[in-house]
Amino acid sequence: MTAGDVVTAVLLPAGAAFCAVGALGVLRFPDLLTRLHAATKPQTIGLLLVLAGAAPQAGSVAAATPLLLVAVFQLLTAPVAAQTIGAAAYRAGALDRTALTVDDPGPEP
């Protein structure tokens, strides 16, 4: 068993666990914003761990390059998609506004 096999054996189940927890959060959380959080944060980390676990098995840097591209694309698109969906839901009034917290700086001097 090589070092790459050990890295893969650790990272793939860890990534799968993160993805499973994220999927469970999407099913169990009560409202759109918490579900959106569960759909983006742990899923992104889970995918990155799975990609990092698959990279040692690729055999060469050229074969692992697409994995890096997938990781970069995920890191760029997941936050933008989550913010866009959350903003659209807020504008459409699909959120329970009583559950939202306002970070009010207080009165101006």
Side-chain angles (χ1 to χ4, degrees), residues 10-109:
V10 170
L11 292 180
L12 285 181
F18 266 92
C19 290
V21 168
L24 182 65
V26 169
L27 293 174
R28 299 285 299 165
F29 284 152
D31 63 341
L32 177 88
L33 293 180
T34 54
R35 287 179 180 169
L36 190 60
H37 182 77
T40 54
K41 304 284 184 189
Q43 295 291 349
T44 300
I45 293 171
L47 177 65
L48 293 177
L49 288 172
V50 167
L51 293 172
Q57 302 302 317
S60 69
V61 175
T65 301
L67 300 175
L68 179 64
L69 293 175
V70 169
V72 169
F73 185 73
Q74 176 71 15
L75 288 172
L76 291 175
T77 58
V80 173
Q83 199 280 331
T84 303
I85 292 168
Y90 183 80
R91 284 192 304 273
L95 303 176
D96 178 17
R97 295 186 187 251
T98 61
L100 299 178
T101 315
V102 177
D103 186 15
D104 189 6
E108 293 188 25

